[in-house]
Amino acid sequence: MESVDVLDTSALISWPVERMSGAVVLEGQKGEVERKFPERMISLEVSDLNWETPTDESVEIARKLASKTGDISGLSSIDLGLLALAIEKNGRLHTDDYRLQNLCKNAGVEWLPVETGGISSVWKWEVRCSGCQSKAEQPNFVTLKKEELGECQDCGAPLRVKKME
Ligand SMILES: [Zn+2]
């Protein structure tokens, strides 16, 4: 049986969307991606990723393991959730986080570094007016389509998502 890919956030934002088909990610990662990489969220919404939440039992297993190895102190709830999902799904975790890698080894979970090959940098995005360039507040990108960004409050020109310099 082909093991399922579980993606940490760096994989989630750097992998080509086609490659993520069928992969499992945390429901809790949505907020993080939305906040930091809103443009990315638009393409993730149309991908066939499986957004899931681990069971309380597997979170508890992950937490106990992390206490035992001492990795728990630097671990976010998202990290813990990813480990729990990987355990639960008997999956393969893609992460560059050394704590998570260490935990995978201890849990007998297969892990791989995130291959970002070819995709050199991670971009950040912001919303700006296409006319006067003034910066607008970032809307909720989960439900948003590009054409729904709206208009500039200062000059009325359409707002655009732009790569931050
Ligand atoms: Zn404007």
Side-chain angles (χ1 to χ4, degrees):
M1 200 182 77
E2 183 74 356
S3 61
V4 62
D5 290 310
V6 180
L7 308 182
D8 86 350
T9 304
S10 58
L12 197 53
I13 57 180
S14 62
W15 275 22
V17 172
E18 317 80 66
R19 189 178 166 189
M20 298 190 290
S21 177
V24 173
V25 286
L26 267 188
E27 189 66 39
Q29 281 171 287
K30 265 186 189 171
E32 196 180 8
V33 176
E34 235 170 83
R35 241 185 355 265
K36 298 181 183 164
F37 312 98
E39 173 74 5
R40 179 69 175 171
M41 199 60 219
I42 296 172
S43 47
L44 292 184
E45 282 296 312
V46 297
S47 71
D48 54 359
L49 276 167
N50 299 310
W51 300 89
E52 298 198 21
T53 304
T55 63
D56 292 345
E57 288 81 7
S58 31
V59 172
E60 196 48 37
I61 293 170
R63 193 193 308 279
K64 277 188 181 144
L65 186 73
S67 317
K68 210 169 74 184
T69 63
D71 289 302
I72 190 117
S73 60
L75 223 55
S76 70
S77 62
I78 286 180
D79 294 335
L80 207 59
L82 285 168
L83 178 66
L85 266 186
I87 293 171
E88 188 177 319
K89 304 279 174 192
N90 197 16
R92 179 166 58 183
L93 181 59
H94 296 261
T95 183
D96 287 330
D97 185 299
Y98 66 93
R99 287 188 200 87
L100 276 179
Q101 293 174 348
N102 183 47
L103 283 164
C104 284
K105 277 179 221 162
N106 278 279
V109 168
E110 191 187 345
W111 63 270
L112 291 163
V114 176
E115 300 155 33
T116 51
I119 305 150
S120 53
S121 61
V122 171
W123 295 342
K124 290 199 174 189
W125 303 86
E126 61 189 1
V127 178
R128 281 191 185 272
C129 170
S130 60
C132 69
Q133 301 299 317
S134 75
K135 201 173 163 182
E137 208 166 298
Q138 296 197 347
N140 179 2
F141 278 84
V142 177
T143 53
L144 194 79
K145 294 185 178 63
K146 268 186 200 169
E147 57 270 23
E148 291 168 351
L149 282 170
E151 292 167 354
C152 175
Q153 299 213 328
D154 298 328
C155 74
L159 295 174
R160 300 258 186 269
V161 176
K162 287 207 158 178
K163 189 178 137 188
M164 276 168 75
E165 300 301 334

